[in-house]
Amino acid sequence: LFVSTIEPRKNIPTLLRALRICCDRRPAAGYRLVLAGARGWLDEPILALIGELGLGDQVTRIGFVGGDDLRWLYAACRIYLNPSRYEGFGLPALEALACGAPAIVADTSSLPEVVGDAAWLAPPLDPAAWADLIEQLWHDEQTRAELRRRGPLQAARFSWHAAATQTLALYRQLAQR
């Protein structure tokens, strides 16, 4: 499962190339990728790559999903994937962990801090590395179960209340200067 706007900085081509590698290595494994998210800027080349790589039967685009449907997707997915080149925070990764999704995320920007030890990290521009991790986690039920256990614990470290409290404290500190 991938959740976010379909746009270049989200680095979906790396996922698509990794999926192609996985399907070529183990055609009978049943690899599938669900892209959940609204279309964004410069999305046409990204979506065209699905056909160019021959992944029309392995990739399902479902558009924007929110609320209970999104929580269900996170909870039901085998693996949540976020190869983003840059995230200011990485809310979808945090949401995925909160719902117990085993996750692989890019080892860039804020994502390693957000996921802590509750997800695996991969270099964002290395489809082969992503394929290796996807293949390993796809077939390792015990590790997926462990990541499902760790995810909600890590996600609980973050809250809107804590963010508001810290922001207010910073504003007060700056106002006193």
Side-chain angles (χ1 to χ4, degrees):
L1 173 67
F2 168 87
V3 177
S4 195
T5 305
I6 310 301
E7 61 185 37
R9 78 178 173 95
K10 299 301 181 173
N11 196 26
I12 298 163
T14 291
L15 280 188
L16 296 174
R17 289 183 178 98
L19 178 60
R20 178 75 268 156
I21 293 168
C22 288
C23 290
D24 289 345
R25 287 179 184 166
R26 295 175 109 171
Y31 298 112
R32 298 288 183 268
L33 175 62
V34 173
L35 298 177
R39 293 184 65 170
W41 62 281
L42 297 176
D43 63 346
E44 289 179 16
I46 297 166
L47 298 176
L49 188 58
I50 295 168
E52 292 169 20
L53 294 173
L55 294 171
D57 291 337
Q58 289 80 25
V59 176
T60 303
R61 291 180 37 238
I62 59 174
F64 175 80
V65 178
D68 290 338
D69 292 332
L70 182 57
R71 283 188 287 281
W72 182 87
L73 280 172
Y74 284 135
C77 75
R78 193 173 192 129
I79 306 171
Y80 165 77
L81 304 163
N82 187 331
S84 186
R85 292 179 186 203
Y86 175 79
E87 289 294 334
F89 179 75
L91 189 56
L94 187 63
E95 291 172 340
L97 294 183
C99 294
I104 304 171
V105 304
D107 63 358
T108 59
S109 64
S110 62
L111 291 171
E113 180 181 354
V114 169
V115 302
D117 70 350
W120 287 1
L121 302 175
L125 299 177
D126 187 345
W130 279 84
D132 291 345
L133 292 176
I134 290 167
E135 187 174 9
Q136 184 179 348
L137 193 54
W138 186 272
H139 298 284
D140 187 343
E141 187 175 335
Q142 185 175 5
T143 300
R144 288 194 316 273
E146 176 61 19
L147 292 176
R148 283 189 188 283
R149 185 192 68 75
R150 287 185 200 172
L153 298 173
Q154 175 67 16
R157 297 181 62 227
F158 298 89
S159 75
W160 287 115
H161 181 266
T165 301
Q166 292 170 0
T167 302
L168 181 59
L170 178 61
Y171 286 164
R172 286 182 174 152
Q173 180 183 14
L174 293 172
Q176 289 177 351
R177 289 185 185 178

